[in-house]
Amino acid sequence: FISWEFGKKPRSPLVDVNWESPHLVSVIVMKDPIDRRLSGDGGINRMFGKEEERTEEQWEAFAKYDGSINFMLTRLTPDRCGTEGENTTEECLETGKELLRRFTYILDVKCLDEGLEALAGELGFSLPYLNKDSGKTQVSARERIGDDELYEFILRRNQRDFELYEWSKGLSLVNCSALEDENSDSAGNGGGHEFVDENGTDDDIFTSFNETHDFDDEFSAEDYSVYNNETGSKETPDLVGEKSSQDIILVTNNNTDNNRFNNHEDVRLLQIENYKKGNALLLNIHITHHAGTTFCAAMKHVGNTPEHACNNGDDWPDSVTQHRPWEYNETDRNAIELRKVYHFISWEFGKKPRSPLVDVNWESPHLVSVIVMKDPIDRRLSGDGGINRMFGKEEERTEEQWEAFAKYDGSINF
């Protein structure tokens, strides 16, 4: 193990390193950019005073200090972009993402001890000691700064760094948000909704009944009950009550094919009706280079979406994990909660999903799912900064580079 520390910008671009070398395992630890600003050191304290003794004038000077603007992007990108603050381009952000995709592992300092444990398990060694308090900030950055206007000013100037950090959580070896949800569930027995069958067990996702409900008669939400752990009683979630000429057939998951409805078209109709009435979430399964950015931009004109490439945002509900994909039993709950905030979200997969996509409850009546498909060779030719650095720009590629591009294993049956 060795380490490269970059307090200053690298002398040569990090993108020029052969991160794909079979003899190199690379790790980067990511951190909330404002928490990083507040980490401080002797130099910062000499310039602006110690945090606990800082005056209003010193806090203002600290906020306006140019030396730490988009600190991560200015270290990660070849042209050291990011110094433009709030005017930093999305292209700069994408260049940072491209480099992060090339690293073997990404860890999040927010749950660094768990990340190191996972890393040790992956690489086959044990760690004798871990600081269980590492990376866990007890007081929020906003509270530490103590001035909402200054906090928002720092956030705006470092917005691209913040977007990079939020995006990196999806590639982190351990998803800290998911970990917090698990700890909360184990400590408080969940407290949320679980689906039960007529007999009161939690084995079935949908209430047991096989009868056909005609939408000429209003759909009865009482036939679709959920169990609340806190009250110990069945409750009825918000469902579509709109009249329709379509018959909806709901069945139990007892011995059915992979816990699915028998009639796929009926499921689609219920999902679509629920979306129209504000009771279902629209989700794009975004394979990288499958027009996810274009799709996201279009959906932003329709309604509220997560601000960071439609993948996550500041107003993401605390009750919903940011890990992806979801497990079967959490799909319905997460979709319901997110629909209260967004009409559309996206899951981008540049790397293979950490858990199988088949485990998601795609038949949830509160989820409308979309995937954009693309000719695989056109997708290969979409290219990005990483591909161009490996094989040259398409219009300048030599015969040898084209041959190496064709033989590259990283995109086989992507």
Side-chain angles (χ1 to χ4, degrees):
F1 174 86
I2 66 169
S3 181
W4 288 349
E5 181 177 3
F6 296 105
K8 295 184 177 181
K9 300 170 185 176
R11 296 189 181 278
S12 59
L14 284 170
V15 296
D16 290 347
V17 178
N18 179 13
W19 299 110
E20 292 75 22
S21 166
H23 301 288
L24 183 66
V25 175
S26 51
V27 185
I28 187 170
V29 179
M30 301 295 286
K31 188 173 184 176
D32 181 288
I34 300 186
D35 286 341
R36 201 212 71 81
R37 281 287 312 268
L38 291 171
S39 298
D41 53 39
I44 292 293
N45 290 343
R46 283 189 294 273
M47 292 171 66
F48 309 109
K50 293 181 179 180
E51 181 180 327
E52 61 274 15
E53 303 171 359
R54 206 164 282 165
T55 66
E56 185 176 341
E57 292 75 14
Q58 288 174 317
W59 270 116
E60 186 173 349
F62 172 84
K64 293 180 177 179
Y65 177 56
D66 290 340
S68 294
I69 294 178
N70 288 321
F71 196 89
M72 288 187 289
L73 280 173
T74 54
R75 272 74 185 160
L76 293 173
T77 55
D79 56 358
R80 302 170 184 178
C81 61
T83 56
E84 304 87 348
E86 54 264 57
N87 296 319
T88 299
T89 65
E90 186 170 355
E91 182 181 2
C92 176
L93 173 63
E94 292 301 320
T95 302
K97 289 180 181 180
E98 288 171 14
L99 179 61
L100 291 187
R101 290 190 185 102
R102 296 175 64 196
F103 296 146
T104 315
Y105 293 108
I106 295 175
L107 303 182
D108 188 341
V109 78
K110 191 175 182 182
C111 54
L112 184 58
D113 47 338
E114 291 85 359
L116 290 173
E117 286 177 339
L119 182 68
E122 292 242 337
L123 298 181
F125 59 80
S126 59
L127 293 169
Y129 170 76
L130 286 173
N131 177 12
K132 294 300 181 181
D133 292 325
S134 64
K136 294 178 173 59
T137 303
Q138 300 300 318
V139 182
S140 72
R142 186 185 291 270
E143 292 174 305
R144 291 170 68 185
I145 294 171
D147 185 310
D148 285 347
E149 188 174 340
L150 280 182
Y151 174 84
E152 295 295 339
F153 176 77
I154 296 173
L155 184 61
R156 285 196 306 273
R157 297 187 87 195
N158 295 275
Q159 183 63 35
R160 294 303 189 188
D161 249 13
F162 185 80
E163 291 176 12
L164 183 68
Y165 171 63
E166 289 296 312
W167 175 86
S168 74
K169 292 178 179 179
L171 301 182
S172 179
L173 183 59
V174 173
N175 188 300
C176 300
S177 299
L179 193 65
E180 289 172 354
D181 289 344
E182 291 172 8
N183 292 339
S184 175
D185 288 344
S186 62
N189 194 30
H193 290 109
E194 291 183 6
F195 290 96
V196 299
D197 65 11
E198 291 175 326
N199 300 317
T201 66
D202 60 2
D203 293 331
D204 286 331
I205 302 303
F206 295 102
T207 304
S208 295
F209 67 100
N210 290 318
E211 65 188 278
T212 298
H213 292 266
D214 191 336
F215 267 20
D216 284 334
D217 298 318
E218 185 168 274
F219 184 80
S220 174
E222 294 177 357
D223 290 322
Y224 184 76
S225 299
V226 296
Y227 187 78
N228 188 306
N229 285 332
E230 293 180 339
T231 63
S233 61
K234 287 186 177 182
E235 298 176 358
T236 55
D238 294 331
L239 287 177
V240 174
E242 192 71 16
K243 292 182 178 180
S244 168
S245 61
Q246 298 293 339
D247 290 338
I248 302 298
I249 303 174
L250 302 182
V251 299
T252 68
N253 67 350
N254 295 330
N255 299 317
T256 56
D257 180 15
N258 198 24
N259 295 343
R260 300 181 187 280
F261 286 111
N262 285 341
N263 192 322
H264 177 69
E265 184 60 25
D266 289 341
V267 175
R268 291 181 67 255
L269 290 170
L270 181 57
Q271 291 170 330
I272 293 167
E273 287 297 321
N274 272 337
Y275 173 79
K276 290 178 179 178
K277 296 300 179 183
N279 293 319
L281 178 72
L282 182 59
L283 166 65
N284 176 36
I285 299 88
H286 173 201
I287 298 173
T288 297
H289 294 319
H290 280 216
T293 302
T294 302
F295 198 169
C296 172
M299 292 300 98
K300 286 181 181 292
H301 290 288
V302 177
N304 198 29
T305 68
E307 58 190 296
H308 308 315
C310 293
N311 282 274
N312 49 61
D314 294 341
D315 49 357
W316 191 276
D318 293 336
S319 60
V320 180
T321 177
Q322 292 195 28
H323 84 269
R324 66 192 67 164
W326 296 328
E327 295 179 4
Y328 191 96
N329 289 338
E330 64 181 350
T331 303
D332 208 78
R333 180 190 68 230
N334 290 345
I336 291 171
E337 288 302 309
L338 284 175
R339 188 62 172 93
K340 296 175 182 178
V341 184
Y342 310 118
H343 85 100
F344 172 86
I345 69 169
S346 181
W347 288 349
E348 181 175 4
F349 296 105
K351 293 185 178 181
K352 300 171 185 175
R354 297 192 180 278
S355 59
L357 282 167
V358 297
D359 290 348
V360 178
N361 180 12
W362 299 111
E363 292 75 24
S364 164
H366 298 288
L367 184 68
V368 175
S369 51
V370 184
I371 187 170
V372 178
M373 302 296 284
K374 188 173 184 177
D375 181 288
I377 298 186
D378 286 341
R379 201 211 75 83
R380 281 290 311 269
L381 291 171
S382 297
D384 52 41
I387 291 294
N388 291 343
R389 284 187 292 274
M390 292 171 67
F391 308 110
K393 294 181 179 180
E394 180 179 331
E395 60 274 15
E396 302 170 359
R397 205 165 284 164
T398 66
E399 184 176 343
E400 291 76 13
Q401 287 174 318
W402 272 115
E403 185 173 351
F405 172 83
K407 294 179 178 179
Y408 176 54
D409 289 341
S411 296
I412 294 178
N413 289 321
F414 198 88

